[in-house]
Amino acid sequence: MPRKSFVPGAALVAAAALAVGLTGCTGGSGPDGSDADAKGGGAASSNPAAEPGRYQTLPEACGLPSRSAIHSMLPGDGQPLSSTEADKVYGGTADITYDTDRRVGCRWTRETTAGTRHIGLDIQRVVSYDGAVSDDDKAQGIYDKKELAAQIPSGAGSPSPAASSPSASKDKGKGTGAVPNGASSPTGKAPSGSPSPSSDPSSDPSAEPSGSTAPRVLDGLADAAFLNDKLVTADSGVHRDVTVVFRTSNVIVTLTYDQWSTDKTMLPDSQELQDKARSLAGDLADNLSE
């Protein structure tokens, strides 16, 4: 007579374990048949990291401006320079930094009988280590703090061509300490490279600055930009400080340009300094974009 088939108990246990293992391999699939990430990787992949900035390195700061631009901003008093002196003055002195891919800078100075002028250039590359914040957004936040600290009037953009005419800048005045640029605009203009004379060096420094030279946001320069201008008087003399700050992608550039004079009756010309600083800032933005 036929013999009945027989499965040992150990074999039944192995079969059950195999079935459970197969179920575990397929049980992770979602309702649409896609596999789920046990560590939440699927959810993270739907939120990609923020975009990196355009700039991954920085140029050599002293070589970024053209020599002709630096020459025009540091005029002499008719005394020629030797080639060695010219290289020292117009070549600039690099700032000491510990990571030239993150920050670089340069300084230029020229002393003349009409006064001393200085140019300072600081270039910072911003990197965001927050995956949800792009390098550009991080840089914009730093730029915003600089603009706030400079107390740039809200909505104060670049003046119209009409406002930039010579007749639009006739306010005058001077006081001790830092005052808004236009509060001490000269009544006359001295030759290029020389401070301008003021007929009343003790005028009220609270006078409203002229529309063409007041601290303001600069339209059309990089992604965001502003200009600040202050006249500072001290026992040793008077100096005007013009600063242009702009952001291009994840790089923030700070350009400073000032003129000093020991003669307090000779005020540095605001329009000249601003025009030259604004022109160089435009060149720097173009050179960085190349």
Side-chain angles (χ1 to χ4, degrees):
M1 66 184 290
R3 299 179 64 181
K4 296 180 179 180
S5 60
F6 176 76
V7 179
L12 288 173
V13 172
L18 177 62
V20 171
L22 292 173
T23 301
C25 291
T26 59
S29 299
D32 59 354
S34 60
D35 293 338
D37 191 331
K39 294 184 179 180
S45 63
S46 63
N47 296 307
E51 288 292 328
R54 172 179 180 179
Y55 301 95
Q56 301 301 310
T57 187
L58 291 174
E60 194 276 313
C62 293
L64 190 61
S66 68
R67 186 152 177 156
S68 60
I70 297 298
H71 188 280
S72 70
M73 296 175 73
L74 301 177
D77 51 6
Q79 297 298 322
L81 297 175
S82 67
S83 59
T84 300
E85 292 172 330
D87 288 341
K88 182 178 180 180
V89 170
Y90 303 123
T93 301
D95 291 347
I96 298 176
T97 59
Y98 297 99
D99 186 351
T100 55
D101 282 336
R102 292 296 300 274
R103 195 158 206 157
V104 294
C106 192
R107 299 288 180 270
W108 296 263
T109 301
R110 185 168 189 186
E111 298 180 6
T112 70
T113 56
T116 301
R117 295 199 187 195
H118 306 86
I119 304 171
L121 178 59
D122 178 81
I123 308 174
Q124 177 186 5
R125 183 174 70 91
V126 179
V127 177
S128 172
Y129 295 101
D130 185 345
V133 179
S134 69
D135 292 348
D136 284 20
D137 289 342
K138 179 73 172 179
Q140 182 63 40
I142 296 174
Y143 167 87
D144 289 340
K145 290 180 180 179
K146 290 179 177 290
E147 184 177 320
L148 182 63
Q151 300 181 337
I152 303 301
S154 177
S158 298
S160 63
S164 299
S165 64
S167 61
S169 179
K170 292 186 178 180
D171 293 311
K172 60 182 179 179
K174 182 168 73 68
T176 301
V179 298
N181 146 71
S184 53
S185 297
T187 56
K189 186 172 182 181
S192 177
S194 302
S196 299
S198 171
S199 61
D200 185 3
S202 61
S203 297
D204 181 7
S206 64
E208 286 297 320
S210 66
S212 63
T213 56
R216 62 196 182 277
V217 171
L218 295 176
D219 299 326
L221 175 59
D223 295 318
F226 70 83
L227 180 148
N228 199 13
D229 186 336
K230 290 183 178 180
L231 181 72
V232 181
T233 59
D235 293 340
S236 58
V238 58
H239 62 96
R240 183 176 293 283
D241 303 332
V242 173
T243 303
V244 176
V245 179
F246 69 85
R247 178 186 73 83
T248 173
S249 185
N250 61 319
V251 164
I252 297 175
V253 177
T254 301
L255 171 65
T256 57
Y257 184 36
D258 61 73
Q259 180 175 349
W260 291 67
S261 174
T262 57
D263 185 349
K264 295 182 181 181
T265 66
M266 303 292 287
L267 303 182
D269 183 76
S270 179
Q271 193 70 63
E272 180 202 356
L273 296 183
Q274 286 196 23
D275 288 347
K276 289 184 175 181
R278 174 63 180 83
S279 177
L280 179 58
D283 291 344
L284 295 174
D286 292 342
N287 292 341
L288 283 169
S289 299
E290 292 179 351

